[in-house]
Amino acid sequence: EHLITWMQHLQFQEEIESAKPTTLCFNIVMSSWLKSADITSEKRIRQIFEYMESSSKKGNVDVQPDAGSYNIVISSISPAVKKFYDMGGARRADKILARLESGYLNGDETLRPDSIIYNQVIDYWAKTQSVRGHFMKARDVLDRQVKMFREEKVRKCRPDVTGYTSVIAACASTYGTVKEKRRSFDMAHLTFMESCAEKYTQPNDVTYGVMFKAVGRLLNNSDEQDKYARTLFKLCCDDGFLGDMAFMRMKAAVSNVLYKELTGGKTYEELPEEWKRNVTKRQKKYDMRKNAAKKSNQLRP
């Protein structure tokens, strides 16, 4: 920041035009704040961002925020949402994303959004369980992303499984009345089916895991839970995405009778590897750590 202040001094006081700071300079400063893990980083990044916007509106187009600037600002909200459970974090991020979308749709090519920024905002809403209807907010962001990709032909906005999985996770964490949970489950089911329909959004082990969670938490009738989970389990195993989380969520969602029917009463480790063949490396590492911890406990005197 001191360097930028000095560059502005050289530009305006010494009239050295080549020393003027640019958008890239300000983005570097904001990135430094983002990496600092300082509790005040979001506030400081927002101040720098607003200064850039204010300056560009006054005619200094060299410091006009670009898509990277917006991405940094939205990323800076992450600690507020994930660590401090700030109820307003997702809303702040959504408003900033809306400004980015508006600028791009009004012809500013430097504000072209991408899937990363959409996934961040969807994830924030998914983690803001205290806001009523948070799953609808998450779904709304995904719908805007799909529209940007399909109608506006922004290839960088192509939806991926991360966004769809986050929406399902938002649905699965819904609290409230039976009616509200049913509405949330219907949204989870719709989102899951849409995910299955496209090659680039195919469900993975995490998607199946949160869908089983939705079955267990949102469906009020045990027969309906078993019926849905039976089909979901077959799809999961056929796709080779039976990760440890999906297995545990399935076990929690179904009756003991169905669990024994589906698994033969076996543990996760004893189930066919064919059912787990496409589980992500991240999940496999988690399984290995869990197994190692289990063995360690068994070896204790």
Side-chain angles (χ1 to χ4, degrees):
E1 288 187 65
H2 293 302
L3 284 173
I4 285 185
T5 301
W6 179 246
M7 291 169 73
Q8 289 178 318
H9 169 78
L10 293 176
Q11 178 189 2
F12 296 117
Q13 303 300 321
E14 305 296 331
E15 298 184 351
I16 303 175
E17 193 64 20
S18 60
K20 64 182 178 183
T22 63
T23 298
L24 178 60
C25 297
F26 282 95
N27 284 353
I28 291 172
V29 172
M30 289 194 293
S31 292
S32 298
W33 272 106
L34 186 64
K35 296 174 183 176
S36 71
D38 191 297
I39 194 171
T40 64
S41 60
E42 182 193 341
K43 180 179 179 181
R44 189 63 188 126
I45 288 171
R46 188 63 181 265
Q47 289 173 339
I48 296 169
F49 177 79
E50 296 297 349
Y51 172 79
M52 293 169 69
E53 279 212 320
S54 174
S55 296
S56 64
K57 287 177 181 178
K58 293 176 182 177
N60 188 2
V61 294
D62 293 312
V63 298
Q64 180 176 335
D66 58 14
S69 311
Y70 279 84
N71 213 322
I72 295 168
V73 175
I74 288 177
S75 295
S76 72
I77 298 173
S78 178
V81 175
K82 299 179 182 179
K83 186 181 292 186
F84 302 110
Y85 307 104
D86 182 352
M87 291 186 294
R91 187 171 287 108
R92 292 198 300 278
D94 205 341
K95 287 182 178 180
I96 295 167
L97 175 60
R99 285 163 64 177
L100 174 69
E101 293 170 322
S102 177
Y104 175 73
L105 293 174
N106 285 327
D108 189 343
E109 283 290 329
T110 68
L111 298 183
R112 183 183 293 265
D114 59 24
S115 60
I116 296 174
I117 201 167
Y118 279 103
N119 285 344
Q120 281 184 305
V121 180
I122 294 171
D123 184 55
Y124 291 166
W125 278 122
K127 288 178 169 58
T128 311
Q129 300 173 19
S130 54
V131 175
R132 191 179 184 88
H134 70 291
F135 66 95
M136 295 296 293
K137 300 287 188 180
R139 178 67 210 211
D140 176 68
V141 177
L142 177 61
D143 288 339
R144 282 152 49 194
Q145 179 184 2
V146 171
K147 182 177 180 181
M148 190 70 76
F149 174 66
R150 292 180 179 170
E151 297 183 18
E152 301 300 329
K153 310 300 180 185
V154 182
R155 296 184 64 186
K156 290 173 64 178
C157 280
R158 189 179 78 174
D160 55 29
V161 66
T162 302
Y164 280 89
T165 300
S166 292
V167 172
I168 297 170
C171 296
S173 63
T174 297
Y175 291 88
T177 64
V178 172
K179 185 177 180 179
E180 287 172 323
K181 288 184 176 181
R182 183 76 222 194
R183 182 185 178 203
S184 185
F185 179 80
D186 289 343
M187 178 62 72
H189 172 72
L190 173 67
T191 305
F192 179 80
M193 295 306 294
E194 288 180 7
S195 175
C196 293
E198 298 288 350
K199 182 179 180 181
Y200 48 82
T201 59
Q202 288 294 300
N204 59 24
D205 52 299
V206 180
T207 316
Y208 279 107
V210 292
M211 196 62 211
F212 276 120
K213 180 181 178 181
V215 173
R217 290 198 70 256
L218 305 177
L219 292 180
N220 196 45
N221 183 285
S222 59
D223 290 337
E224 189 177 12
Q225 287 176 329
D226 279 3
K227 182 179 179 181
Y228 195 98
R230 183 194 299 275
T231 302
L232 188 64
F233 185 77
K234 185 179 185 306
L235 289 173
C236 182
C237 294
D238 287 347
D239 287 345
F241 279 123
L242 185 64
D244 186 71
M245 181 182 75
F247 175 78
M248 296 304 295
R249 293 295 187 185
M250 178 277 295
K251 185 177 180 180
V254 303
S255 64
N256 290 333
V257 173
L258 181 60
Y259 170 72
K260 291 178 180 178
E261 177 189 327
L262 295 176
T263 66
K266 296 178 180 178
T267 64
Y268 177 71
E269 292 76 14
E270 295 170 331
L271 293 175
E273 287 300 315
E274 181 70 11
W275 295 359
K276 316 169 192 176
R277 65 187 183 279
N278 292 321
V279 175
T280 59
K281 292 180 179 179
R282 178 192 66 254
Q283 179 68 43
K284 286 184 177 179
K285 287 180 179 178
Y286 170 79
D287 294 343
M288 289 172 65
R289 288 196 300 269
K290 186 175 179 181
N291 289 337
K294 186 181 293 185
K295 289 178 181 177
S296 177
N297 289 332
Q298 290 173 347
L299 291 171
R300 285 179 182 173

